[in-house]
Amino acid sequence: MVLAEDPDVVVIATGGEPSIGTFEGTELAVSTWDILEGRVAPGERVLVHDDQGQQAAASCAEMLMDRGAEVELVTPDSNAVTELGYLTAPFHMRALYDHDAVITPDTRLVRLQAEGNRLIAILRNIFNDREEEREVDQVVAEQGTWPNEAIYFALKDASANQGELDLDGMAVGSPRPIVNNPDGHFQLYRVGDALTSRNIHAAIYDSLRICHGL
């Protein structure tokens, strides 16, 4: 369908799918998307593992607590929502404290295992490697996204630049066309989560720098 339009430039902005993380036992966890979109019902005692530090895990924790769950938010960062700015983070922090959430910093989920109808989460301090366990009935894990990149790779070999970007030109907002494939008739780019896990500001900035001179 894309090739039928005979484009000069193709920008792939297909987003991504949720990443739970790489800890042992990921199949026992659910994603923040599962909870926020209502695909999975909230548990009663829930551990939210936030390895991203943005809105998703905090928003999910707030939703869980609004529905009666007891929540512990675990993060390897020094505090929750560490990737948010000072204008946004305080609203999430106040909501977490108002709901009496337990916040455990400097700690990462390394293993998840089932025992009967409960889950045992093994947590490890990132500084001294000391491990401790939590017994819960649900683990929600957030580690950004994996790119939806199938369309990009389906088009890559047909493009002139084969997806290569003029990084020096990108840095000053004027990327030049690159020709790696003389038979290609269009320049191919991808932005935002279609490239790697980013926030919305990065996706907008990518798009602006690529497209403003077209």
Side-chain angles (χ1 to χ4, degrees):
M1 291 175 63
V2 173
L3 294 177
E5 297 295 326
D6 192 23
D8 296 313
V9 176
V10 176
V11 179
I12 302 298
T14 46
E17 294 295 325
S19 169
I20 289 177
T22 57
F23 54 87
E24 183 181 341
T26 53
E27 70 279 2
L28 299 173
V30 299
S31 73
T32 55
W33 293 27
D34 291 327
I35 298 295
L36 292 170
E37 294 182 0
R39 293 194 293 260
V40 175
E44 294 181 4
R45 296 181 59 190
V46 184
L47 186 145
V48 176
H49 181 241
D50 182 14
D51 210 349
Q52 185 75 355
Q54 298 188 28
Q55 290 101 334
S59 297
C60 185
E62 294 163 27
M63 179 177 175
L64 288 164
M65 292 183 290
D66 281 338
R67 299 189 178 185
E70 297 179 9
V71 172
E72 179 179 2
L73 178 64
V74 175
T75 173
D77 297 318
S78 58
N79 56 273
V81 293
T82 188
E83 293 296 323
L84 297 184
Y86 289 110
L87 294 179
T88 307
F91 292 96
H92 286 292
M93 294 304 300
R94 181 169 62 189
L96 291 170
Y97 284 124
D98 282 348
H99 285 87
D100 296 323
V102 175
I103 300 174
T104 304
D106 303 328
T107 302
R108 177 170 275 121
L109 174 62
V110 294
R111 189 164 68 256
L112 186 59
Q113 59 195 47
E115 286 193 8
N117 62 350
R118 308 287 280 177
L119 296 173
I120 305 299
I122 291 82
L123 309 177
R124 180 181 296 157
N125 184 282
I126 65 170
F127 293 110
N128 63 14
D129 292 331
R130 183 176 299 156
E131 293 187 354
E132 52 186 310
E133 296 182 357
R134 299 287 191 275
E135 182 180 317
V136 296
D137 53 39
Q138 188 175 63
V139 170
V140 182
E142 166 66 29
Q143 198 183 49
T145 59
W146 295 108
N148 283 327
E149 56 190 12
I151 296 176
Y152 170 81
F153 282 109
L155 293 169
K156 182 178 177 182
D157 289 342
S159 68
N161 64 329
Q162 297 186 315
E164 184 179 348
L165 184 65
D166 171 22
L167 295 179
D168 291 335
M170 184 79 163
V172 296
S174 300
R176 297 168 298 173
I178 292 175
V179 178
N180 294 321
N181 173 22
D183 295 326
H185 299 292
F186 61 92
Q187 294 287 305
L188 177 66
Y189 306 105
R190 53 178 170 162
V191 299
D193 282 0
L195 174 62
T196 189
S197 185
R198 340 275 291 275
N199 60 28
I200 186 64
H201 310 289
I204 292 171
Y205 194 32
D206 285 350
S207 303
L208 174 65
R209 293 194 294 182
I210 290 171
C211 296
H212 86 283
L214 298 180

